[in-house]
Amino acid sequence: MILTLDQMTEAQNAVRQPLFADLKGDIGVSFEFFPPKTEKMEETLWDSIKALEPLRPRFVSVTYGAGGSTRERTHATVSRLVRETTLTPAAHLTCVDASRGEIDDVARAYWDAGVRHIVALRGDPPRAGERFVPRADGYENAAALVEGLRRVADFEISVAAYPEMHPEAASIAQDLDNLKRKLDAGAHRAITQFFFEPETYFRFRDHAAAAGLNAEIVPGILPVSNFAQTKRMAEMCGTAIPGWMGRLFDGLEERPAARGLVAATVAAEFCRRLYAGGVREFHFYTLNRADLSYAICHMLGKRAA
């Protein structure tokens, strides 16, 4: 019997070592949450935080709504993380609809509350579909925000990176120049927007290195628990979803248990391929739910303390 090339490749899979056999657990992780709107959502959030805390993440970030719409809830969540957990919180902060003085005051309040890490973002306009227009008395972009934060206090600062290019950028080179400005302004690392093909990250990492960017670039991982929701989010930020993913989740809308198993399998294999390419730091967009992120970390060898 003569096997075709495709058949030989498939046959090799049958005798290879299992993807997740005895991994060292030599990864670092961080998790993103968003501030809850209701009592029920708050209960879900804190259940998730408690579930993920034993994994000893490097930090956990808390998002900041468009136009500062969640400012008080973000601050309350971050402050509670400081008071009631062993976790290191990182508060998101944006440039939208606030003066430099107002943003500096928020940063000082975080510092006074014990927060030492800020995720500095330009931010999205408060109304979907509008373009960002800086206030005359505000920070004009994320690089300026980073500079301002460095003047306020000695924060650790993370910024955003876009492996598929920011939707408003004219070119990859322009987008990398913008990332360089943020890092040169004093940011310590970049965290990427979510993406779904390992090659996307590796290409971006190579382009960044070729452009002279030597800072840590941490891949942002979004486990797909709800494909329709993920598709909407991807459309908003210009993230490509491979066709096979849609076909894989097709027909599982009314089967949440099966959908969860598929989601865990897809995301774990994705992270395992990143790991094979040398990635050792992962940032998980949890959507305030712990199970998928916890399972992926476990499969990569990361164990609870």
Side-chain angles (χ1 to χ4, degrees):
M1 177 180 178
I2 298 176
L3 299 179
T4 66
L5 182 60
D6 286 343
Q7 288 171 329
M8 286 190 289
T9 300
E10 184 68 13
Q12 287 175 350
N13 288 332
V15 296
R16 283 177 178 154
Q17 179 174 319
L19 276 176
F20 299 99
D22 298 323
L23 292 181
K24 297 178 181 179
D26 56 339
I27 63 168
V29 297
S30 53
F31 302 110
E32 180 180 289
F33 304 103
F34 62 85
K37 294 180 180 180
T38 66
E39 186 174 325
K40 179 63 176 175
M41 291 173 68
E42 182 160 0
E43 182 180 338
T44 299
L45 167 64
W46 287 97
D47 285 347
S48 297
I49 288 171
K50 291 298 183 183
L52 294 170
E53 185 176 10
L55 293 178
R56 305 178 307 283
R58 183 159 62 156
F59 62 89
V60 295
S61 66
V62 182
T63 64
Y64 192 83
S69 57
T70 67
R71 180 179 300 174
E72 297 304 321
R73 287 186 281 125
T74 298
H75 195 281
T77 301
V78 170
S79 297
R80 186 175 170 185
L81 282 165
V82 172
R83 292 194 312 269
E84 299 183 15
T85 75
T86 62
L87 299 169
T88 299
H92 286 216
L93 196 55
T94 76
C95 306
V96 180
D97 275 1
S99 69
R100 289 185 292 273
E102 290 169 335
I103 293 170
D104 291 353
D105 286 344
V106 172
R108 290 189 189 95
Y110 279 132
W111 186 268
D112 292 343
V115 178
R116 299 294 181 264
H117 188 167
I118 298 288
V119 179
L121 308 165
R122 189 203 69 180
D124 296 321
R127 289 162 292 279
E130 294 184 354
R131 290 186 66 84
F132 172 79
V133 178
R135 280 177 43 156
D137 59 350
Y139 288 114
E140 63 269 28
N141 53 42
L145 175 58
V146 171
E147 289 180 353
L149 290 171
R150 299 293 290 170
R151 289 192 294 268
V152 169
D154 189 23
F155 286 109
E156 180 179 353
I157 300 175
S158 298
V159 294
Y162 296 85
E164 294 172 88
M165 196 172 75
H166 191 283
E168 296 176 20
S171 66
I172 292 174
Q174 183 191 70
D175 205 30
L176 286 171
D177 284 344
N178 185 51
L179 177 57
K180 185 177 188 302
R181 284 192 292 272
K182 292 187 283 188
L183 295 170
D184 288 347
H188 296 81
R189 75 182 54 79
I191 302 170
T192 77
Q193 180 59 270
F194 63 85
F195 57 98
F196 296 111
E197 296 280 16
E199 294 83 354
T200 301
Y201 173 80
F202 295 133
R203 281 195 302 269
F204 179 73
R205 187 178 63 180
D206 291 348
H207 287 151
L213 305 184
N214 299 314
E216 178 185 25
I217 300 177
V218 181
I221 310 300
L222 177 65
V224 180
S225 56
N226 182 318
F227 184 75
Q229 178 189 40
T230 299
K231 188 175 180 181
R232 290 193 297 271
M233 295 169 63
E235 288 171 352
M236 291 173 59
C237 60
T239 296
I241 297 181
W244 61 262
M245 184 177 288
R247 293 189 292 273
L248 196 58
F249 281 95
D250 187 36
L252 297 179
E253 295 81 0
E254 306 302 323
R255 294 181 176 274
R259 189 173 67 240
L261 290 171
V262 171
T265 301
V266 170
E269 183 193 68
F270 173 57
C271 291
R272 180 63 179 88
R273 291 169 65 195
L274 288 170
Y275 181 91
V279 173
R280 292 297 182 270
E281 295 288 340
F282 298 83
H283 182 74
F284 290 92
Y285 298 109
T286 69
L287 302 183
N288 287 8
R289 297 190 177 277
D291 286 351
L292 280 175
S293 297
Y294 190 99
I296 295 162
C297 290
H298 185 89
M299 294 174 74
L300 292 174
K302 184 76 171 175
R303 297 292 189 267

